[in-house]
Structure formats: C-alpha cells, structure tokens
Amino acid sequence: MTDSKYFTTTKKGEIFELKAELNSDKKEKKKEAVKKVIASMTVGKDVSALFPDVVNCMQTDNLELKKLVYLYLMNYDCEDPNPLIRALAVRTMGCIRVDKITEYLCEPLRKCLKDEDPYVRKTAAVCVAKLHDINAQLVEDQGFLDTLKDLISDSNPMVVANAVAALSEIAESHPNSNLMDLNPQTINKLLTALNECTEWGQIFILDCLANYTPRDDRESQSICERVTPRLSHANSAVVLSAVKVLMKFMEMLPKDLDYYGTLLKKLAPPLVTLLSAEPELQYVALRNINLIVQRRPEILKHEMKVFFVKYNDPIYVKLEKLDIMIRLASQANIAQVLAELKEYATEVDVDFVRKAVRAIGRCAIKVEQSAERCVSTLLDLIQTKVNYVVQEAIVVIKDIFRKYPNKYESVIATLCENLDSLDEPEARAAMIWIVGEYAERIDNADELLESFLEGFHDESTQVQLQLLTAIVKLFLKKPTETQELVQQVLSLATQDSDNPDLRDRGYIYWRLLSTDPVAAKEVVLAEKPLISEETDLIEPTLLEELICHIGTLASVYHKPPSAFVEGSRGVQHKRLPGSTESGESESPDTASAAAVSDAPPAVIPSQGDLLGDLLNLDLTPPTTTGPPPPASSGMQMGAMDLLGGGLDSLIGAGFGAPPAAMPASFSAPVSGGLDDLFDLGGGVGMPMGAYSAPKTVWLPALKAKGLEISGTFARRSGVIQMEMTLTNKAMSVMTDFAIQFNRNSFGLAPAGPLQVLTPLSPNQSIEVTLPLNTVGPVMKMEPLNNLQIRAP
Amino acid sequence: MIHSLFLINASGDIFLEKHWKSVVSRSVCDYFFEAQERATEPENVPPVIPTPHHYLISVLRHHIYFVAVIQSEVPPLFVIEFLHRVVDTFQDYFGVCTEAAIKDNVVVVYELLEEMLDNGFPLATESNILKELIKPPTILRTMVNTITGSTNVGEQLPTGQLSVVPWRRTGVKYTNNEAYFDVVEEIDAIIDKSGSTITAEIQGVIDACVKLTGMPDLTLSFMNPRLLDDVSFHPCVRFKRWEAERILSFIPPDGNFRLLSYHVSSQNLVAIPVYVKHNITFREGSSQGRFDLTLGPKQTMGKAVESVLVSSQLPRGVLNANLNPSQGTYTFDPVTKLLTWDVGKINPQKLPSLKGTMSLQAGASKPDENPTINIQFKIQQMAISGLKVNRLDMYGEKYKPFKGIKYMTKAGKFQVRT
C-alpha cells in the first residue's frame, strides 16, 4: 500500500473527518489520520485547524505516531509567516533529545539556517549546537558545520555572535578540527559584529578573536584599537575577555610605540573596577590579575591600595588580594604594605593571619631594603605569643636567614624562647634548621637539639630529617662535646626507622663522617645557594599559555586547560604571538613539539613550595635516576660494624674509614650544594655506574618532521648525563643540531654543547651523550619531570 | 555553556532545579555542601568548585546560593554575570528575591529561566523583553489566572528581539512623560587608628527611570566629565560620542535601568565625610574594657549626614557591653559579639557618642585583635566626587518631558581600624 491513498478526498468536509479520526480510540486509525494530515500539509493544504487534535496524539507510547506528530509540528511552525514562530519552532525542535527524531529535524533546520529573517537564523545557529550534542555525525554529514561557518559572515551581528558561540561549543568536543578558519576578512566581520551584538555575543566573539594570530604589528594594533571600547562595558565578562585579547595582541606591538604605552594605561582602570564588584566576581578577577601582574607588572604597579583587604571580605578574596600585594610590593610602597600586613596579622581568621605573616617574610626576601623592618615586625608578632603567629613567623625567619646569611642572628635568642610552644612540624623543622645552622653561636645548641631527640620517632619525617642534619652540623662545628648526640641520632635514623629517606640520609652522613671528615664538612656545611626572590612564579611557558586563556576556568585554576577540562584532551597549547617560544610562524622549518616522558610521576614527597623543599633537601630523586634501592639486610650489618669501629675513630684525629664497607658510588666527587640531591638517589649498595632507566621515546618522529629522539638520564663517573639516540626517519639529511634546556626544578643545564658533528642521513641513528650540571637556573615545574623537546 | 541551575537555601536544601540540557543529578551538589561545611561563614564558600565531571559556579544573594553547573570550559564571569541577571530578574518580578517568593511563583520562575537561556546560551536577559514575554505577577492577575486557568505567558511575541535597539519596546505610550536620573555614589574607605585615610575610592552609578513615549533620543552632559575616566556603560550608550565629546547619547530602555557606573580611584583625592574618635582599650589583668566612640561630620559641604549606623565585631573574649549612647539605640549580641549602634542623624552642634564599659571573662587574657568599626551613612543632595549633570536634552520626539536629577552619597565598605 502506498501513501498516495492519504491524498484522496471525500465530499463531507475533509477537516471534519480527519478530526474525528484523530480522536479515535484505535491507535491504527489515529496513525493513519496523522499521516493523512501530513500528506495534506505537503501539498499545501491548510490543516492548522487540526493543531490541538494532532498535539493530543502525542500522548502515546507508539514511537512512530510520536514521530509523525513532531513532523507535523515542525513543518507547520517552520513555515509560519511570523519569524518569531519559526524561531520558536526551531528552538523547540532542538530540545527534543531523542536520537531517532533528529533526522526529521534536518530539513526544517536547513531551511531556518537560510531563513530571510535574522532572528530565525540566529536561533537556528544554536540549534545546530544542540543537534551536534545529540548526534555529531549527523550534523557533519548534513553539512551543517559549513553552513554555520558561512553564518560568521552574516550581515546581522546577532547571527554572527550565535554562530561563533555554536562553533566554539562544537569545537570543544573536536579539539583538532579546524572549525574556525580565522582570516583577516572574518576577523573584520567579527569586529564589526562586536560593536552591535548583545553583551553575551560580545563575550563569544572576543573569545574567538583571541584565537587569532595577527599577521603583523599593524594588524595587531588595529584590532586592539577596535577592542578597547569593550573595556567600558558594564558586563565584567566582556571586560575580561577584552583584556585577554589586548594582553595577547600587545605582545606583537613594539614597546617604543606610543600606542603601546597608551594601551598599558587603559588596562588598569577596568581591572581596578572589577574589584569593586561582588565578591564572586572579584575572586575570578583577582585570579586573573595574578597572572597579569606576573606577565606585565607595570600595568598595576600604582594600584597597590585597591588590593588592601577589607575586614569583611570573604576569605577567598582576602587570600588572593594578599598574593597580589606581595607581587606588587616594591621599594616604593613597601612601608605601606608592611603596615597593612601587620594589621592583618592581628585579625581573627587563622588562615588569613598565617598567610599575612608569611607575606611579611616574602617582602623581606623580595625587597632587600625592607628586610630589617620586616624582621622587627616579625619579632613584634612573636611577642604577641599567639601560637600560630609565632610558628609562622619562625618559618619565614628561617627563609630570611637563607636570603641574608649572617645578618639577623641577633634575633635567635628570642626565637629560642619560643621553642616549647612549637607544635607544627614545619615550624619545628624551621627552628631546628636555625639551631643547626647557627650552632656555633648558640651556647646550648646541643641541649636544644637533644630536647627534640627524646620523641624522635613521634616527629614527622620533615622534623626527623632536619634534626639529623642539624645534629650533624652541630657535630662538625663542635665535635668534642657532641659525639654522643650524633651517635644517638645516627642510630635512631638508620636502625630504628622504617623511613628509607631518613635511613639513607643517615647512612650518607655516617659514611661521610667516617671516610672523609673534610669532605663531610664541605658537603654538610657548604655555602648554600641563595633562595630566589619569588618562589611561586608560574613557569613562563605555562604563564604564556594562561595569558591566552584569561577569563576561563584555566585562569582560575592556573593550570593549562588540557590538564583538567573533560573531553578536551589534545587541546592545542596556545602561545603568545611574537614571543621567542613560538617559532612556528616565523621560521617554517622549525618544528616544535612537546613530548612528555613516559616515566611515571616523580616521587616527590612534598608538592608544596620549592623554597621549603630546597631547604629541607627532602627531595627523593626523580625516577629517571632510578628507583630507591631496597636496603638489604647485609648492608645493615655493614652499617652496624661502622657503628662499632667507625665512630670511635671518628672522634680521633684520623677519621679513619672502614673502606671495605664503603659502597663505591660514594667515592664519586661531591661538589656540595644541590648535587647531593642526586647522590641521595644513588642509594646504598649501588654498584659503580649505577642503574639508569632504559631509553624511552621522548619525541616521536611524527611530531617533529621525522626526527625521533629517545633517551634517558644516567650518572657515569659521578657526572649526570643525558644519553640520547637521535634517529632520522625523514627523507632528507638533518644537520645543525642544538639543544636548549628550559629552566627546571633541578637546575639541570647542559655542561657543554650538543656534539653531533656529522649530518644525519635518512634512517641513520646516532648516539649522543650530553654531560649535564646542576648550576642552571632553578624554576619550579609541575610535574617535575615534564620534558619539553624542540628539535630542528 | 550553562547546563543546570540549583537554588539552595541557608539550611542546605535544594528548593529548585532547572536543566537546560540533559538532567544533571542533584547529587552533584554534594560537592557544594562539602565546601559549605568547610567554610566558616556562609559567604566564604568559594565561587568556583571543581567536581570530577562538572564545575559548580555559585553566587550567594539574599541568603540563597544560586549554583550553576557547567561541563565544558565556560568563562566563569559569564556564568556569574548571568546568575546576577537571574537574581535581578526575580527581584524585578517579585519585588523580593526570597525562597518564599520563588516558591510562590514557581511557574513564572520556570518560564523566565526557560526564556533566559536556550541550550545554555543566553537568549532574552533584558528585563524589557522578558516582561513582554512573561507578565510579572500581580495580585489581580494571579486571582484571574486561578479562576480562568490562564497563564502569565504574554500573548504578544517579543518584537523587541528583532529590532536594532533590542533594549527598548516599540509603541511605548505615556500620558505623563518623565525622565529621572539618580546619581548615587558609594564611598569605600579604610581609615587607620590615627584617623588618616589608608585608601578611599568611590563607586558611582547613574540609575535612570525613564517613562517616555515613542523613540526618544537623549543626551546627558556633565559639568566636570573629567572625573569619569573609568566608566562602564549600558549597551544603549553610544561609545564613540562619549570618546569624542564626553556626552552620553542614547535611546533609553523603557523603565528602570542603570545608565552608567563609574569608579573614582584611590589615586584621586577623595573627601571623607565623617570622622570617628575612638578609644577601645583592654588592660592586662583587668576584666573590664573601656569603650568610647564619638562621631562627627567633615567635608560634607554643609549637607546633613543621615541614617548613620555603626557596627563592630568585638573580640571573642567580650562577655557583655554596658554602654550609654548620647542618641539613638545600641544592641550587643553576646553570641556573635556584634555591636550595632543606630545613630540616626549627626547634629554638628551636639556630636553623637557611645561610651561605657565592656566586661571580659574573669581571668582571661587581654584580647589580641583590635575591632574594626564599620560605618553606614547617607548624605542627600550631594555626590561626594563633585560630579554634576549639566543638562539633559531630548531629540526625536515632540513633547516636553519632565526631567529630574537627584544626588546621593552613601557609605559602601567604610571601615575604621582601632
């Protein structure tokens, strides 16, 4: 039977008859009736009078009948002469989240996307995103994405805005598809639409603009000029999106350009205004300002006061403001900042007070001229005897000692008075460090340290390690009075402890002391590298990426979007234009790729601030140096012998060592400082040449125009080396290899240039060894063993 | 885009949920409740909370948490601004934005939310357009609706959405044509112990109530536009004209709207309209503390300081306060330790004061923290920044409207440290 029968008419008023059939009790009859209605519709008959009856049929379990009703509704409304009805129809059709229905949506949607009325087109654009959410394949097959791209050039700004919004949303689930093909023409369209569309549309357009890379500084400037008026918008999201575009495009402007200065000045007021808004807005704004001041501190350098904390600000606003105050602190405003911080340190909220005290210490480290005032402020605070204030103050004073050695020791006496009130591990560890470091000036240093030793096993690892080091320092400074003490702590650490870090460190000291006391002195009492001014700066490449994501969740969490947004894996890392890191556009033969080594995350006990880690030397080595070796019982026996024979002679002039028990790896020259970080990992009982991880592929050929790099780190004769195999998997010869190290957590840097003398022919491999040292600049990275590789 | 919205009251009940895409189980709010438990005060709940599959972005207004659920990367400020718009719309429709009002009008609430977002994209957020679509409830209309079974959904279609001035309805008619502008400035300040200003800034707004027939085109000019160097405009303001001539030129929305907000930063000299003399002291070993507070006007250009309200969070160790106000009334809540003093108007000839003693727990040590004094006040007929409107002109329509401009200064976050 064909559907043609539905077109036959009867004499008795067709509509009347259909109405009766639609209200029939029999399902089959109903279905037939709806089919007839649709048939009539397709030949242009007016069946609108049946609207309520058809809609009634929707209340059924029969899927076919349901579908037919939808079809009726959509066809009817999408043809309506009133654009608002057509728009309502297309809006509603997207809300029917039933996969089976979607194919019926395509034809009406296609019509609406090309509708003469902009309001209908604008609504249809959103509908494409809805449909994509339900059935992505269908949307692609039907060519709706292309239609959507065409709408970016629509004459109506609202349509443009919605098309951009829909495309952006679709692009999220298709990270690598090149949905938005931005070229100067489309950019111009977007900029025109920007002025005339709704506030929400402006956000979508600005966010889309931010993905564009201008061809030159002139284009960059002209876009900036057209975006700047958005800074005066009442909607804070518009303002922040505009800030993002400007911060990014500014990178391309020459700094001596007048306009560059003008732009810098224009950025401050809108950012300040965001801080007078509701606290939730302030929070997001502050997280972003934190990024902005790291990249361009000059923008807000005169605006310190707006970051002063009001006592009834929510805690999350207070803590963010404090962070920015420290970033902006300079010699010019330090007096004001210190006065404020001191005020905050007497507030009620414990977290805030702690952070304020810590901030005072950071000021001292950052602004040398203020160090003395900071120290005296901290002493005042210690006098309040408020427990958590005292503990925080001691932790930061330790940092100040690290930055300005031998300058403020006069305060040690005051600190020692508070020894008994310290109950937090960090404060105890800090105090112990101070006592150890200045043992020669503290008369009763041995008593003080001994008092901690009583409850050694109840202390946290941090305190135990610190106590071990401090007592060894004390011993090296005052060997005659403290031999018993050092024996005690070494035996506590090596025999009674289950903690491999503590045990390893105990053994190292032990052997050092027993083999070569001079070397021990050199290592343990070595001059420590000064701590850097700002320890919590975001790593530059990450900062660049985050600047490109101002206003997004990534900017709130200070993490790259790929790290946390679901379904966006493989997101392209955004880079600021014109900066050194983004060589792609300027030199086409430079391929850039980032490869993360396959090694499991490094076993770093504390992911806290680097400052603490450096001081404590708590770092276990990165896994690339090899897993911590199992401590064999045989070794422990050997250590026992040491205790018997070794220590006695320790005190004697010779410091004679029992060489038989010395593992070979410790004969490696130790240059002090950070190097012993790596030594710790060598571990007990390691044979010469130690374990090194097998090479893993760091850079697959696909990502680097045919150059494959695999490699590993190893220690050979006490020198850290990077061993690489370079393989040319491309068709042409490769030459001119070079290597550059980003700043990293371990200060690793090449000790010499990369030596690849011969050109690398296709399919040829070459083994390269690059000696490394650890005197490079130190910069905290997360994860610590992340490896970025750039190949020629 | 925005997936779902949950409204949560102070006791942690979800009393309304709305989903614009697929339904997100309300169990996602458990992450919010955890954060709420950790927060010491209701306002300390962080505005952005990550969960394994979603992000929760919330605002707290009128003791209700508006919690939006998002799944993909969406600008948080976009979400927060939208939530503010929801709150403003509820307030506009129901007069107040409370749990009771929302529950009473749950149908209108759903209709509004449906119109404000389409699949998570903002659709109609302008109050003018919404009111065409969905009529605000009135007692009469509610009664009629109950009897006749009709609804609030407007018969008309939102024609404004098609126009080039989407913020204004067409065919507006009034018998009395009037345009009122309120210049309202809030002064935020931190004053230190010694009475000197640490920071002071002004947040100003110009709120308008315009009831004019047809399509009027207005211009507003200022005596001293130089003051306005940091401004945010309603979309109706023509930005180019402002850049070039420092004149506000616009076709206004119908009814109430915020024309402009501006900020006078701490780098300008900001006049401080009141001063406080205070002496709040505790002595070691004594169970008594002294409390002595006097208020006075300064830099008010002869205008009266009114509706003065002083509040201060006294240290936790304070058991009670026995004070004597020279005018007004004071209360001290021994549980929250909040002292409030409703002063009223400051008479420059007889300065208001609050004096007396505070009792401390016997044997307790002297409190460490110094209480901060929070002051609220109003000054009529003055904008503290000195901003003055020069003239208001209307083009495009023939009738003569009635025009009015009012000035007011209020305290924003005005804090005096002791």
Side-chain angles (χ1 to χ4, degrees), chain A residues 82-85 91 95 97 117 119 122-123 126 129-130 133 158 162 165-166 169 172 195 199-200 203-204 207 228-229 231-237 240-241 266 269-270 272-274 276 278-285 302-303 305-306 308-316 336 340 343-344 346-349 384 386 551-554 556-557 561 564-566, chain B residues 1 21-22 40 43-50 52-53 55 57-61 70-78 80-82 84-85 114-115 117-119 121-123 125-126 157-159 161-163 166 188-190 193 197-199 201 203 229-235 239 243 263 265-267 311-313 316 368-370 372 374 413 415 417-418:
Chain A
N82 187 331
L84 292 159
I85 298 282
R91 186 182 147 200
C95 298
R97 304 185 61 89
D117 193 283
Y119 187 69
K122 154 187 139 146
T123 317
V126 175
K130 290 184 196 173
D133 198 25
M158 314 270 208
N162 275 18
E169 184 165 86
E172 284 240 1
N195 287 325
E199 50 195 313
W200 314 109
I203 301 169
F204 299 132
D207 285 350
T228 342
L231 294 175
S232 299
H233 202 287
N235 186 316
S236 61
L240 204 55
S241 289
K266 280 194 175 165
V272 170
T273 302
L274 289 179
S276 51
E278 290 80 358
E280 295 94 354
L281 287 174
Q282 280 187 50
Y283 171 73
V284 177
H302 298 301
E303 302 290 349
K305 283 182 172 180
V306 297
F308 285 180
V309 171
K310 310 234 164 58
Y311 87 100
N312 46 3
D313 282 337
I315 182 73
Y316 56 80
Q336 251 181 344
E340 280 295 302
E343 198 69 46
Y344 305 159
T346 61
E347 280 211 24
V348 191
D349 191 294
T384 64
V386 178
T552 65
L553 281 169
V556 172
Y557 284 100
F564 65 99
V565 175
E566 206 171 73
Chain B
M1 297 294 116
K21 294 185 167 189
S22 49
T40 44
E43 54 268 24
N44 284 345
V45 180
V48 186
I49 299 169
H53 301 288
Y55 286 85
I57 298 185
S58 63
V59 302
L60 173 63
R61 291 289 174 282
I70 59 171
Q71 196 160 25
S72 52
E73 175 65 90
V74 180
L77 282 187
F78 163 93
I80 295 174
E81 284 278 2
F82 176 78
H84 285 165
R85 220 53 64 85
E114 188 60 37
E115 288 302 330
L117 276 190
D118 175 17
N119 197 43
F121 291 95
L123 195 64
T125 51
E126 282 285 337
L157 289 157
T159 45
Q161 291 197 9
L162 300 177
S163 108
D188 289 351
I190 302 176
K193 284 186 202 15
T197 308
I198 291 179
T199 168
E201 50 190 339
Q203 320 294 343
D229 65 344
D230 181 7
V231 277
S232 312
F233 296 117
H234 188 276
F239 189 75
E243 285 273 270
H263 178 249
S265 76
S266 54
Q267 286 177 52
S311 59
S312 181
Q313 187 76 47
R316 273 167 295 189
D368 301 311
E369 67 263 31
N370 302 320
T372 302
N374 222 6
K413 284 187 166 179
Q415 310 185 342
R417 292 177 182 159
T418 63

Side-chain angles (χ1 to χ4, degrees), chain A residues 8-24 29 33 36 50:
Chain A
T8 54
T9 51
T10 56
K11 286 131 240 150
K12 214 193 170 191
E14 193 184 22
I15 299 289
F16 178 80
E17 216 162 86
L18 280 172
K19 204 179 181 85
E21 284 177 35
L22 284 170
N23 290 313
S24 152
K29 209 155 197 185
K36 275 185 204 163
L50 294 170

Side-chain angles (χ1 to χ4, degrees), chain B residues 21-47:
Chain B
K21 294 185 167 189
S22 49
V23 174
V24 177
S25 159
R26 57 163 64 193
S27 63
V28 76
C29 293
D30 292 349
Y31 295 95
F32 180 84
F33 295 135
E34 274 173 35
Q36 196 184 11
E37 248 168 63
R38 276 195 298 272
T40 44
E41 303 282 331
E43 54 268 24
N44 284 345
V45 180

